[in-house]
Amino acid sequence: MTQQSKTALALQGGGVHGAYAWGVLDRLLEDGLRVDRICGVSSGALLGAMLVQGLVKDGPAGARREMRKLWDRVRTANALSPLQNGPIERWLWGWDLSNNLAFQGMEAALRMFSPAQINPFGHNPLRPVIEDVINLKALRDPSAIPFTVAATDVETGETMCWSNQDITVDVLMASCCLPLVFHAVTIDGRSYWDGGFSGNPPLHPLLQPDLPDELVLIRAQTARRSGVPSTPAEIMNRLTEIACHGVLEAELRALPASVRVTSHGADAVLSRLPISSKFNAGDAFIANLFEAGRNTAAVDLAAE
């Protein structure tokens, strides 16, 4: 009997740009992608959770519905947010929020004050979104694909990983925690920030208990960006991209030669977008990213 090949799936985080990864994954599932283990951070962790619980409920079709439910809920939560452009602003500046007064105010405040000073009660609008869409019972179902969520320990800088049985809303919140915007998430006495800082995503959970035949990497962050950043926001964003990319590339180079890597890149789409668009959860922008991701996957599949 021929042994079936094993496929591992790595899902990067990237804020709202994670909708691009959603599009890629949706198209791959439509084409028949089957995976045996998954690891994700930040928006990739949320996407992975919806993928796993959807597969438990109704196979690939269920997974695609669950992923759409996540992003529909994100769009609903954004409906009353001041961080969005009106019709005239969209006509003038497209997806760029940097001219939006609310965004400018937030950006200025974050330069001068910490999240604890700006938001002493620790409100995070992502929590009700996760609570509404996550199904912990499905994630822990015996039939669920092994799934790892990662976050970064604030004190040690090391990656902390949780598997299906240990994943909670707090774990997903920790994996998505942007340190300049939200309070660190405390779990069992330890504080955590976004998992992308220590691996976007970490690959070592995907190499156990045995090596996969193929590693499918879906990127949601720009690896290469032309030009030199000049503003403080651009510099900080590029530093973050370089740091996250460097950890991932080191792990990719260290992979055994027997593991075939299939990478679905994001540079062609995401490098053209302004930094502020990572906070743009408007209907039209998310739909645009989703379609761009599907188109990228279609091109990649045709080239195989």
Side-chain angles (χ1 to χ4, degrees), residues 234-282:
E234 290 172 345
I235 292 170
M236 180 60 70
N237 178 73
R238 189 56 186 149
L239 282 171
T240 300
E241 289 177 340
I242 290 171
C244 296
H245 178 68
V247 175
L248 174 63
E249 288 304 311
E251 285 200 87
L252 287 171
R253 286 193 295 270
L255 283 176
S258 63
V259 180
R260 185 174 72 258
V261 177
T262 300
S263 178
H264 298 279
D267 289 6
V269 174
L270 300 186
S271 65
R272 301 196 304 266
L273 297 175
I275 297 167
S276 64
S277 67
K278 291 183 178 181
F279 295 90
N280 187 345

Side-chain angles (χ1 to χ4, degrees), residues 169-193:
V169 171
D170 279 346
V171 165
L172 292 168
M173 291 287 293
S175 188
C176 297
C177 180
L178 298 175
L180 295 179
V181 182
F182 301 116
H183 292 219
V185 177
T186 301
I187 301 172
D188 296 332
R190 305 295 301 178
S191 297
Y192 297 98
W193 283 337

Side-chain angles (χ1 to χ4, degrees), residues 47-58:
L47 196 60
M50 303 309 287
L51 170 62
V52 172
Q53 70 186 45
L55 289 170
V56 169
K57 292 178 180 180
D58 190 25

